[in-house]
Amino acid sequence: MPQQQIILVRHAETAWNRSRRYYTGHDDPDLTAAGKREAGLLRPHLQAYRDAHVLCSPALRARRTAALAGLSVDINPDLREWSYQLPDGHTVDERCGSGPCHHDIWDAALHTRACTGECLPEVTARADCVLDCARRLAAGGRPVVLVSHGNLIRLMTARWLGLSAAAGAHLVLRTASLGRLAHYDGRPSLLGWNFNPSFDDRLPAHPTAAPPQHHAPDTAMHRP
């Protein structure tokens, strides 16, 4: 059986998630109506973890997600959002304007210059502290639930797997989604990832016929 289970919960949708303003930093937007609904849909999936150690970011959107999902939490400041070098509430396109720009928070080379936000080594050290705390708690036999933010969860997952922090860039994560870390066969493993009960990414059981194309009216095109 998997050992030392750690459940990861990303907060539900905010207005800035909806408008693709990823760089939230220190600001703290509330959940949208849709976000509150999707947070509530997490409740049955977290029912088994009501007696777990639940650590949560101090951000309102994380605390509200946890409450709507039926979790009682202890606040851990190290689970707060990554403080980026971009101004809060801006997209990369707005920050860079019309000129050439390269801004990738996962690019360690950018953090060798003067860092106006939280440099990659700093946020990595914070993520490692959270994982050390989670390991100690999980060693007692109870699972641990971490309620936090998208990019920090991605970074923590990469570090759990023994990868560089920058490897978190390859781990896409929806709002109000769940992941599961554990030790399996003696190795740090990823047992579940990016599960959002309000999002259906199953392929349809039967392909849907598209309208016939004008140049070939007798040929039906099918989508998978």
Side-chain angles (χ1 to χ4, degrees):
M1 294 293 293
Q3 301 296 314
Q4 286 196 321
Q5 293 194 58
I6 299 174
I7 310 303
L8 306 170
V9 183
R10 185 187 177 190
H11 69 77
E13 182 195 80
T14 70
W16 284 7
N17 294 132
R18 181 175 287 273
S19 59
R20 301 179 67 81
R21 296 180 179 275
Y22 298 113
Y23 297 93
T24 313
H26 292 290
D27 214 324
D28 199 5
D30 199 356
L31 302 183
T32 61
K36 292 174 183 177
R37 287 193 296 272
E38 66 178 4
L41 290 173
L42 292 174
R43 183 180 286 260
H45 300 278
L46 292 170
Q47 180 76 32
Y49 300 101
R50 288 177 184 264
D51 294 329
H53 300 282
V54 184
L55 306 180
C56 182
S57 161
L60 173 63
R61 57 195 183 277
R63 290 185 284 112
R64 196 179 296 278
T65 297
L68 291 168
L71 298 173
S72 298
V73 306
D74 292 320
I75 299 301
N76 185 322
D78 283 339
L79 284 168
R80 68 188 181 275
E81 177 62 291
W82 188 339
S83 178
Y84 307 106
Q85 297 185 62
L86 290 175
D88 283 2
H90 285 67
T91 65
V92 171
D93 290 341
E94 289 173 345
R95 177 70 176 86
C96 298
S98 58
C101 180
H102 175 68
H103 194 290
D104 183 352
I105 61 170
W106 302 99
D107 186 347
L110 293 176
H111 298 275
T112 60
R113 309 180 190 126
C115 187
T116 59
E118 193 173 19
C119 297
L120 189 59
E122 294 171 340
V123 73
T124 301
R126 176 157 63 87
D128 288 346
C129 284
V130 172
L131 290 176
D132 286 343
C133 176
R135 289 187 188 97
R136 289 194 300 271
L137 292 173
R142 289 167 58 192
V144 175
V145 178
L146 304 177
V147 185
S148 188
H149 307 269
N151 286 333
L152 186 66
I153 291 175
R154 296 164 72 189
L155 191 154
M156 286 193 297
T157 301
R159 297 295 289 168
W160 175 267
L161 296 174
L163 304 174
S164 70
H170 302 284
L171 298 169
V172 178
L173 194 62
R174 301 184 184 105
T175 56
S177 61
L178 305 177
R180 187 156 63 116
L181 309 177
H183 277 89
Y184 190 76
D185 287 341
R187 299 182 180 88
S189 303
L190 181 60
L191 300 186
W193 184 252
N194 204 27
F195 170 70
N196 178 323
S198 65
F199 190 94
D200 187 357
D201 53 359
R202 294 172 298 177
L203 292 175
H206 302 287
T208 303
Q213 297 186 7
H214 294 299
H215 66 279
D218 59 339
T219 302
M221 300 295 292
H222 296 275
R223 295 180 300 183

